[in-house]
Amino acid sequence: MTVALFTLGGTISMAGSRRLTGADLTAAMPGLAGLGHEVEIQDVEKIPSANLTAAKLLEVVAAAAQAVAGGAAGAVVTQGTDTLEESAFLADLVWPHPQPLVFTGAMRNPTLAGPDGPANLLAALRVACSPAARDLGALVVFKEEIHAARWVRKTHSTSTATFQSPNAGPLGHVVEDQVRVLTRPQRLDSIQADGDSVRVALYTVTMDDDGLLLQGLADTHQGLVVAGYGVGHVPAALAPVLGELAARIPVVLTSRTGAGSVVRNTYHSPGSETDLLQRGLIDGGFLDPYKARVLLRLLLATNSEVAAAFARYA
């Protein structure tokens, strides 16, 4: 039995001016012999994760799908951590297979004392091989924790414990080389990926915001995600601007806090969540702004019904 490994660069592969291949990464990883599966490596492209595109990521997902169709127990993708949470969520939205698709990387490169890449990669490979991880969709594995792509977030710029799931916690752990899945969230239907690209803006609301920066946005973008205060509030002066945009393009309301859900019917002043939803904004639920943007882009590219889909996924 095999497990497929796709490498995309990032901190895990940065050894000074040299970029490590998948063979380099696995050679530096103690414990690989006990994996019980042969690792089939495909070095895709050494791309800083800040330069990753949805189109490139979908190419990798398609290659991973081909690998599991050919008999691989699962697949692992290594990439930089800057956009790893968005990559994993996009993959989760389109991944229909029971085999695990696992994302991992590193916060400390191999030239530093205590690099975390080898341990993260070994744990990710163990999860990808494990029957316990089947039917969980795309996952993120860091520091022996298993996170659902739907909930995981990068929460710290430098800590090796940066990946957390504030609303749900990890699904499980890798303990003494054993994959222990403690909870199994409901798996949502996958969305058929489309190659077309659309422009979706992400706008973070700030104090005294009057929406001047949003002028003309509906002429250049097909959608907008708003990261509002708290449970989904904006300054009263911004509310009519967002309402006018919502009459032309889908506008999704999320929270900028990093955890928790927007609400629907708690506050009623101008600029409150009730006011904004009445103006036509779409409830982003528990999705953070970054994942809401990933979902909205995919829905618009596939001509899906946006409000109904957010009701399911958010």
Side-chain angles (χ1 to χ4, degrees):
M1 182 71 76
T2 63
V3 58
L5 172 60
F6 299 87
T7 68
L8 273 169
T11 298
I12 192 172
S13 66
M14 291 172 53
S17 61
R18 182 176 172 232
R19 296 295 179 265
L20 303 181
T21 65
D24 294 327
L25 294 176
T26 54
M29 191 171 57
L32 184 61
L35 186 64
H37 290 65
E38 180 183 349
V39 181
E40 292 189 345
I41 299 169
Q42 184 171 334
D43 293 313
V44 181
E45 192 173 350
K46 295 297 182 284
I47 309 174
S49 61
N51 293 336
L52 266 178
T53 64
K56 174 59 69 175
L57 193 279
L58 289 173
E59 288 179 11
V60 176
V61 173
Q66 186 174 8
V68 300
V76 173
V77 178
T78 62
Q79 70 159 80
T81 60
D82 285 349
T83 58
L84 190 148
E85 62 189 283
E86 291 164 273
S87 293
F89 184 58
L90 175 58
D92 190 53
L93 290 172
V94 303
W95 185 255
H97 309 286
Q99 293 91 336
L101 177 58
V102 183
F103 286 76
T104 195
M107 295 298 291
R108 295 178 61 80
N109 74 63
T111 69
L112 300 176
D116 55 328
N120 288 339
L121 180 54
L122 182 58
L125 289 167
R126 291 194 185 284
V127 172
C129 295
S130 174
R134 290 174 67 90
D135 294 309
L136 290 175
L139 302 166
V140 171
V141 173
F142 250 75
K143 288 189 69 69
E144 283 78 46
E145 291 185 340
I146 306 166
H147 293 270
R150 186 180 176 192
W151 303 126
V152 72
R153 295 199 65 179
K154 185 175 182 179
T155 64
H156 196 283
S157 61
T158 60
S159 171
T160 57
T162 182
F163 285 99
Q164 305 287 332
S165 296
N167 290 317
L171 302 182
H173 305 264
V174 180
V175 182
E176 293 184 331
D177 302 335
Q178 298 298 311
V179 176
R180 304 292 301 274
V181 175
L182 305 180
T183 184
R184 306 186 70 86
Q186 179 184 3
R187 181 87 183 270
L188 299 175
D189 293 336
S190 61
I191 300 172
Q192 184 64 43
D194 192 285
D196 292 336
S197 62
V198 296
R199 286 181 173 175
V200 172
L202 172 55
Y203 186 77
T204 301
V205 178
T206 55
M207 186 178 289
D208 292 334
D209 199 332
D210 60 3
L212 180 63
L213 293 176
L214 294 173
Q215 286 186 2
L217 185 135
D219 298 323
T220 58
H221 291 70
Q222 289 76 54
L224 170 66
V225 174
V226 177
Y229 305 140
V231 293
H233 297 164
V234 304
L238 183 57
V241 177
L242 294 176
E244 291 172 7
L245 281 170
R248 298 182 60 188
I249 59 175
V251 179
V252 177
L253 179 63
T254 65
S255 173
R256 69 178 196 176
T257 60
S261 173
V262 296
V263 297
R264 297 187 59 86
N265 196 35
T266 300
Y267 301 92
H268 301 274
S269 60
S272 68
E273 80 288 348
T274 302
D275 177 39
L276 295 174
L277 295 176
Q278 289 174 348
R279 293 177 188 269
L281 276 69
I282 297 167
D283 178 10
F286 276 96
L287 288 181
D288 64 62
Y290 315 111
K291 293 187 181 65
R293 181 178 179 271
V294 169
L295 176 57
L296 183 55
R297 287 189 71 196
L298 188 59
L299 293 172
L300 292 174
T302 53
N303 296 313
S304 302
E305 207 290 307
V306 173
F310 267 88
R312 295 193 306 272
Y313 286 88

